mmCIF file of all heavy atoms in Angstrom:
data_model
loop_
_atom_site.group_PDB
_atom_site.id
_atom_site.type_symbol
_atom_site.label_atom_id
_atom_site.label_comp_id
_atom_site.label_asym_id
_atom_site.label_seq_id
_atom_site.Cartn_x
_atom_site.Cartn_y
_atom_site.Cartn_z
ATOM 1 N N PRO A 1391 0.796 7.570 2.283
ATOM 2 C CA PRO A 1391 0.134 8.820 1.921
ATOM 3 C C PRO A 1391 1.099 9.989 1.712
ATOM 4 O O PRO A 1391 0.929 10.806 0.819
ATOM 5 C CB PRO A 1391 -0.830 9.089 3.098
ATOM 6 C CG PRO A 1391 -1.115 7.726 3.647
ATOM 7 C CD PRO A 1391 0.178 6.950 3.477
ATOM 8 N N ALA A 1392 2.159 10.069 2.546
ATOM 9 C CA ALA A 1392 3.114 11.178 2.388
ATOM 10 C C ALA A 1392 3.884 11.046 1.071
ATOM 11 O O ALA A 1392 4.151 12.054 0.408
ATOM 12 C CB ALA A 1392 4.071 11.199 3.581
ATOM 13 N N GLU A 1393 4.253 9.836 0.704
ATOM 14 C CA GLU A 1393 4.944 9.613 -0.569
ATOM 15 C C GLU A 1393 4.005 9.943 -1.732
ATOM 16 O O GLU A 1393 4.437 10.562 -2.729
ATOM 17 C CB GLU A 1393 5.458 8.187 -0.650
ATOM 18 C CG GLU A 1393 6.080 7.804 -1.981
ATOM 19 C CD GLU A 1393 7.242 8.688 -2.435
ATOM 20 O OE1 GLU A 1393 7.898 9.320 -1.583
ATOM 21 O OE2 GLU A 1393 7.500 8.717 -3.648
ATOM 22 N N LEU A 1394 2.767 9.515 -1.661
ATOM 23 C CA LEU A 1394 1.791 9.870 -2.697
ATOM 24 C C LEU A 1394 1.643 11.376 -2.804
ATOM 25 O O LEU A 1394 1.585 11.924 -3.909
ATOM 26 C CB LEU A 1394 0.426 9.230 -2.418
ATOM 27 C CG LEU A 1394 0.262 7.792 -2.850
ATOM 28 C CD1 LEU A 1394 -1.065 7.265 -2.311
ATOM 29 C CD2 LEU A 1394 0.295 7.672 -4.358
ATOM 30 N N ALA A 1395 1.564 12.057 -1.666
ATOM 31 C CA ALA A 1395 1.441 13.507 -1.674
ATOM 32 C C ALA A 1395 2.610 14.162 -2.386
ATOM 33 O O ALA A 1395 2.428 15.095 -3.180
ATOM 34 C CB ALA A 1395 1.322 14.018 -0.229
ATOM 35 N N ARG A 1396 3.805 13.662 -2.149
ATOM 36 C CA ARG A 1396 4.990 14.221 -2.808
ATOM 37 C C ARG A 1396 4.891 14.024 -4.323
ATOM 38 O O ARG A 1396 5.132 14.949 -5.089
ATOM 39 C CB ARG A 1396 6.256 13.559 -2.266
ATOM 40 C CG ARG A 1396 7.555 14.139 -2.825
ATOM 41 C CD ARG A 1396 8.752 13.285 -2.502
ATOM 42 N NE ARG A 1396 8.688 11.975 -3.136
ATOM 43 C CZ ARG A 1396 8.890 11.755 -4.448
ATOM 44 N NH1 ARG A 1396 9.134 12.747 -5.262
ATOM 45 N NH2 ARG A 1396 8.837 10.519 -4.929
ATOM 46 N N ARG A 1397 4.509 12.836 -4.753
ATOM 47 C CA ARG A 1397 4.413 12.560 -6.184
ATOM 48 C C ARG A 1397 3.291 13.340 -6.857
ATOM 49 O O ARG A 1397 3.459 13.838 -7.969
ATOM 50 C CB ARG A 1397 4.218 11.061 -6.423
ATOM 51 C CG ARG A 1397 5.469 10.265 -5.976
ATOM 52 C CD ARG A 1397 5.461 8.777 -6.281
ATOM 53 N NE ARG A 1397 4.188 8.155 -6.580
ATOM 54 C CZ ARG A 1397 3.758 7.006 -6.034
ATOM 55 N NH1 ARG A 1397 4.489 6.400 -5.124
ATOM 56 N NH2 ARG A 1397 2.614 6.462 -6.380
ATOM 57 N N VAL A 1398 2.153 13.481 -6.168
ATOM 58 C CA VAL A 1398 1.027 14.245 -6.714
ATOM 59 C C VAL A 1398 1.436 15.713 -6.850
ATOM 60 O O VAL A 1398 1.204 16.357 -7.876
ATOM 61 C CB VAL A 1398 -0.234 14.086 -5.829
ATOM 62 C CG1 VAL A 1398 -1.283 15.135 -6.174
ATOM 63 C CG2 VAL A 1398 -0.796 12.674 -5.985
ATOM 64 N N LEU A 1399 2.059 16.266 -5.822
ATOM 65 C CA LEU A 1399 2.505 17.648 -5.841
ATOM 66 C C LEU A 1399 3.463 17.878 -7.027
ATOM 67 O O LEU A 1399 3.295 18.805 -7.812
ATOM 68 C CB LEU A 1399 3.187 18.022 -4.530
ATOM 69 C CG LEU A 1399 3.722 19.460 -4.464
ATOM 70 C CD1 LEU A 1399 2.547 20.445 -4.451
ATOM 71 C CD2 LEU A 1399 4.562 19.632 -3.189
ATOM 72 N N GLN A 1400 4.439 17.003 -7.154
ATOM 73 C CA GLN A 1400 5.426 17.132 -8.229
ATOM 74 C C GLN A 1400 4.741 17.057 -9.596
ATOM 75 O O GLN A 1400 5.017 17.889 -10.460
ATOM 76 C CB GLN A 1400 6.476 16.010 -8.097
ATOM 77 C CG GLN A 1400 7.573 16.084 -9.090
ATOM 78 C CD GLN A 1400 8.609 14.981 -8.832
ATOM 79 O OE1 GLN A 1400 8.255 13.864 -8.470
ATOM 80 N NE2 GLN A 1400 9.855 15.323 -9.035
ATOM 81 N N HIS A 1401 3.843 16.108 -9.785
ATOM 82 C CA HIS A 1401 3.179 15.954 -11.083
ATOM 83 C C HIS A 1401 2.349 17.212 -11.427
ATOM 84 O O HIS A 1401 2.421 17.736 -12.538
ATOM 85 C CB HIS A 1401 2.277 14.729 -11.081
ATOM 86 C CG HIS A 1401 1.547 14.553 -12.370
ATOM 87 N ND1 HIS A 1401 2.097 13.951 -13.470
ATOM 88 C CD2 HIS A 1401 0.294 14.952 -12.728
ATOM 89 C CE1 HIS A 1401 1.218 13.959 -14.462
ATOM 90 N NE2 HIS A 1401 0.118 14.576 -14.034
ATOM 91 N N PHE A 1402 1.532 17.659 -10.498
ATOM 92 C CA PHE A 1402 0.612 18.772 -10.795
ATOM 93 C C PHE A 1402 1.336 20.128 -10.829
ATOM 94 O O PHE A 1402 0.891 21.045 -11.515
ATOM 95 C CB PHE A 1402 -0.604 18.750 -9.875
ATOM 96 C CG PHE A 1402 -1.554 17.702 -10.279
ATOM 97 C CD1 PHE A 1402 -1.532 16.437 -9.702
ATOM 98 C CD2 PHE A 1402 -2.464 17.940 -11.319
ATOM 99 C CE1 PHE A 1402 -2.422 15.436 -10.113
ATOM 100 C CE2 PHE A 1402 -3.363 16.931 -11.746
ATOM 101 C CZ PHE A 1402 -3.327 15.688 -11.129
ATOM 102 N N GLU A 1403 2.489 20.268 -10.157
ATOM 103 C CA GLU A 1403 3.307 21.457 -10.357
ATOM 104 C C GLU A 1403 3.836 21.496 -11.804
ATOM 105 O O GLU A 1403 3.852 22.562 -12.420
ATOM 106 C CB GLU A 1403 4.468 21.479 -9.354
ATOM 107 C CG GLU A 1403 4.080 21.904 -7.984
ATOM 108 C CD GLU A 1403 5.232 21.867 -6.995
ATOM 109 O OE1 GLU A 1403 6.218 21.110 -7.197
ATOM 110 O OE2 GLU A 1403 5.150 22.617 -6.015
ATOM 111 N N THR A 1404 4.205 20.331 -12.309
ATOM 112 C CA THR A 1404 4.639 20.261 -13.707
ATOM 113 C C THR A 1404 3.497 20.586 -14.653
ATOM 114 O O THR A 1404 3.678 21.339 -15.639
ATOM 115 C CB THR A 1404 5.211 18.847 -14.019
ATOM 116 O OG1 THR A 1404 6.339 18.626 -13.159
ATOM 117 C CG2 THR A 1404 5.644 18.747 -15.461
ATOM 118 N N VAL A 1405 2.314 20.058 -14.390
ATOM 119 C CA VAL A 1405 1.136 20.370 -15.212
ATOM 120 C C VAL A 1405 0.865 21.888 -15.186
ATOM 121 O O VAL A 1405 0.629 22.499 -16.232
ATOM 122 C CB VAL A 1405 -0.105 19.580 -14.755
ATOM 123 C CG1 VAL A 1405 -1.374 20.098 -15.443
ATOM 124 C CG2 VAL A 1405 0.091 18.088 -15.018
ATOM 125 N N GLU A 1406 0.923 22.467 -14.018
ATOM 126 C CA GLU A 1406 0.689 23.916 -13.898
ATOM 127 C C GLU A 1406 1.703 24.697 -14.707
ATOM 128 O O GLU A 1406 1.347 25.613 -15.455
ATOM 129 C CB GLU A 1406 0.729 24.327 -12.424
ATOM 130 C CG GLU A 1406 0.213 25.732 -12.156
ATOM 131 C CD GLU A 1406 1.269 26.807 -12.215
ATOM 132 O OE1 GLU A 1406 2.435 26.497 -11.922
ATOM 133 O OE2 GLU A 1406 0.937 27.956 -12.567
ATOM 134 N N ARG A 1407 2.933 24.310 -14.617
ATOM 135 C CA ARG A 1407 4.032 25.002 -15.314
ATOM 136 C C ARG A 1407 3.953 24.831 -16.826
ATOM 137 O O ARG A 1407 4.196 25.754 -17.584
ATOM 138 C CB ARG A 1407 5.359 24.504 -14.756
ATOM 139 C CG ARG A 1407 6.551 25.329 -15.049
ATOM 140 C CD ARG A 1407 7.815 24.857 -14.304
ATOM 141 N NE ARG A 1407 8.059 23.433 -14.330
ATOM 142 C CZ ARG A 1407 7.849 22.598 -13.317
ATOM 143 N NH1 ARG A 1407 7.359 23.028 -12.173
ATOM 144 N NH2 ARG A 1407 8.104 21.322 -13.424
ATOM 145 N N THR A 1408 3.586 23.627 -17.299
ATOM 146 C CA THR A 1408 3.671 23.307 -18.713
ATOM 147 C C THR A 1408 2.361 23.459 -19.466
ATOM 148 O O THR A 1408 2.361 23.628 -20.687
ATOM 149 C CB THR A 1408 4.215 21.886 -18.953
ATOM 150 O OG1 THR A 1408 3.322 20.966 -18.335
ATOM 151 C CG2 THR A 1408 5.623 21.742 -18.398
ATOM 152 N N VAL A 1409 1.233 23.420 -18.750
ATOM 153 C CA VAL A 1409 -0.067 23.468 -19.426
ATOM 154 C C VAL A 1409 -0.870 24.723 -19.054
ATOM 155 O O VAL A 1409 -1.452 25.367 -19.923
ATOM 156 C CB VAL A 1409 -0.915 22.204 -19.078
ATOM 157 C CG1 VAL A 1409 -2.290 22.283 -19.696
ATOM 158 C CG2 VAL A 1409 -0.172 20.943 -19.518
ATOM 159 N N PHE A 1410 -0.875 25.081 -17.769
ATOM 160 C CA PHE A 1410 -1.805 26.131 -17.326
ATOM 161 C C PHE A 1410 -1.170 27.493 -17.079
ATOM 162 O O PHE A 1410 -1.907 28.460 -16.906
ATOM 163 C CB PHE A 1410 -2.524 25.658 -16.033
ATOM 164 C CG PHE A 1410 -3.594 24.646 -16.293
ATOM 165 C CD1 PHE A 1410 -3.378 23.317 -16.018
ATOM 166 C CD2 PHE A 1410 -4.823 25.038 -16.792
ATOM 167 C CE1 PHE A 1410 -4.369 22.376 -16.256
ATOM 168 C CE2 PHE A 1410 -5.830 24.106 -17.029
ATOM 169 C CZ PHE A 1410 -5.592 22.778 -16.765
ATOM 170 N N ARG A 1411 0.153 27.570 -17.064
ATOM 171 C CA ARG A 1411 0.780 28.873 -16.807
ATOM 172 C C ARG A 1411 0.328 29.909 -17.825
ATOM 173 O O ARG A 1411 0.400 29.661 -19.013
ATOM 174 C CB ARG A 1411 2.309 28.735 -16.811
ATOM 175 C CG ARG A 1411 2.992 30.024 -16.590
ATOM 176 C CD ARG A 1411 3.841 30.253 -15.367
ATOM 177 N NE ARG A 1411 3.719 29.453 -14.190
ATOM 178 C CZ ARG A 1411 4.737 28.896 -13.590
ATOM 179 N NH1 ARG A 1411 5.947 28.967 -14.086
ATOM 180 N NH2 ARG A 1411 4.557 28.228 -12.465
ATOM 181 N N GLY A 1412 -0.230 31.015 -17.328
ATOM 182 C CA GLY A 1412 -0.685 32.059 -18.212
ATOM 183 C C GLY A 1412 -2.099 31.856 -18.771
ATOM 184 O O GLY A 1412 -2.615 32.731 -19.449
ATOM 185 N N ASP A 1413 -2.723 30.724 -18.482
ATOM 186 C CA ASP A 1413 -4.075 30.461 -18.966
ATOM 187 C C ASP A 1413 -5.028 31.381 -18.212
ATOM 188 O O ASP A 1413 -5.025 31.437 -16.987
ATOM 189 C CB ASP A 1413 -4.409 28.997 -18.691
ATOM 190 C CG ASP A 1413 -5.732 28.559 -19.325
ATOM 191 O OD1 ASP A 1413 -6.711 29.334 -19.244
ATOM 192 O OD2 ASP A 1413 -5.783 27.445 -19.857
ATOM 193 N N PRO A 1414 -5.866 32.124 -18.948
ATOM 194 C CA PRO A 1414 -6.800 33.035 -18.264
ATOM 195 C C PRO A 1414 -7.866 32.339 -17.412
ATOM 196 O O PRO A 1414 -8.509 32.985 -16.589
ATOM 197 C CB PRO A 1414 -7.440 33.818 -19.409
ATOM 198 C CG PRO A 1414 -7.230 32.984 -20.629
ATOM 199 C CD PRO A 1414 -6.001 32.174 -20.375
ATOM 200 N N ALA A 1415 -8.028 31.048 -17.558
ATOM 201 C CA ALA A 1415 -9.013 30.313 -16.759
ATOM 202 C C ALA A 1415 -8.523 29.966 -15.365
ATOM 203 O O ALA A 1415 -9.304 29.486 -14.537
ATOM 204 C CB ALA A 1415 -9.432 29.049 -17.509
ATOM 205 N N VAL A 1416 -7.255 30.153 -15.092
ATOM 206 C CA VAL A 1416 -6.725 29.777 -13.779
ATOM 207 C C VAL A 1416 -6.700 30.977 -12.838
ATOM 208 O O VAL A 1416 -6.726 32.144 -13.257
ATOM 209 C CB VAL A 1416 -5.306 29.149 -13.866
ATOM 210 C CG1 VAL A 1416 -5.303 27.950 -14.770
ATOM 211 C CG2 VAL A 1416 -4.269 30.165 -14.281
ATOM 212 N N ASN A 1417 -6.650 30.682 -11.560
ATOM 213 C CA ASN A 1417 -6.546 31.710 -10.535
ATOM 214 C C ASN A 1417 -5.056 31.905 -10.211
ATOM 215 O O ASN A 1417 -4.445 31.059 -9.553
ATOM 216 C CB ASN A 1417 -7.310 31.265 -9.290
ATOM 217 C CG ASN A 1417 -7.300 32.310 -8.183
ATOM 218 O OD1 ASN A 1417 -6.455 33.194 -8.152
ATOM 219 N ND2 ASN A 1417 -8.241 32.172 -7.254
#
Side-chain angles (χ1 to χ4, degrees):
E1393 174 58 22
L1394 277 172
R1396 185 193 64 74
R1397 294 186 342 228
V1398 166
L1399 179 67
Q1400 183 177 37
H1401 178 84
F1402 284 95
E1403 283 178 335
T1404 300
V1405 170
E1406 192 269 331
R1407 196 172 45 256
T1408 61
V1409 177
F1410 285 102
R1411 178 115 342 129
D1413 188 317
V1416 304
N1417 182 340

